[in-house]
Amino acid sequence: MPAPPEDTGYGRRHSMQLGLSLGLGSGTGGMRYAGGAGFGYFVVTGVAPGVDSSVNGGADVLTTETLTGTLRLVPIRTGAFAFFLIGRAGRLFMHNHADAWGAGGGAGVVIATGGNVGLQLSYEILSLWPYGHCSDLASGCRLDAFGLGLVVGL
């Protein structure tokens, strides 16, 4: 009997994910920037604990840095795309402001672009606490974010 084909798709067991996001923009409030990186290791097919870090800020905007532990679940995987769910919790460091803790999650899709590279589209919500450290922020104690980035699977 022939051996089954090797699983080479995103989220396969013992594979790694490296993610990178960069952003630059301007508007009525001035220049904005964002950048981030992440790593995950699929201990079993479709389940990857990991860590993410990001920084964003700009002119007249509070600069924030995040460091979160993550758990990525990939319930749907095909050769063309992979749908994922992600949970995260960790620390939010804010310049000239009290720091906060955050926890939340979201969902997204990784679209294969060739080789081991994919385009990631996502939406996430992060709740912050303690309330006294975030109630004065423009977005309150909840951060909503659309994400766009490159993912490399190894």
Side-chain angles (χ1 to χ4, degrees):
M1 183 171 252
E6 183 181 337
D7 183 0
T8 60
Y10 175 79
R12 71 189 177 283
R13 181 177 182 222
H14 296 307
S15 66
M16 294 178 283
Q17 171 198 291
L18 300 172
L20 177 65
S21 61
L22 298 170
L24 184 64
S26 65
T28 57
M31 293 293 293
R32 307 274 194 274
Y33 64 87
F39 173 81
Y41 181 79
F42 287 93
V43 292
V44 297
T45 297
V47 179
V51 63
D52 284 357
S53 180
S54 67
V55 61
N56 60 60
D60 298 323
V61 175
L62 183 66
T63 300
T64 60
E65 299 154 355
T66 61
L67 181 61
T68 58
T70 63
L71 181 62
R72 183 177 294 252
L73 305 175
V74 186
I76 301 172
R77 303 174 345 131
T78 71
F81 73 93
F83 173 76
F84 68 89
L85 302 169
I86 189 165
R88 69 176 62 248
R91 196 74 167 145
L92 199 79
F93 303 99
M94 295 178 269
H95 291 271
N96 299 319
H97 194 279
D99 297 338
W101 291 94
V109 64
V110 175
I111 302 165
T113 59
N116 290 332
V117 178
L119 178 67
Q120 178 177 297
L121 305 166
S122 63
Y123 177 75
E124 293 189 36
I125 297 170
L126 192 67
S127 295
L128 306 178
W129 77 90
Y131 181 76
H133 289 204
C134 56
S135 59
D136 62 332
L137 299 177
S139 61
C141 292
R142 175 179 156 159
L143 302 177
D144 295 75
F146 287 99
L148 173 64
L150 288 178
V151 173
V152 177
L154 303 173

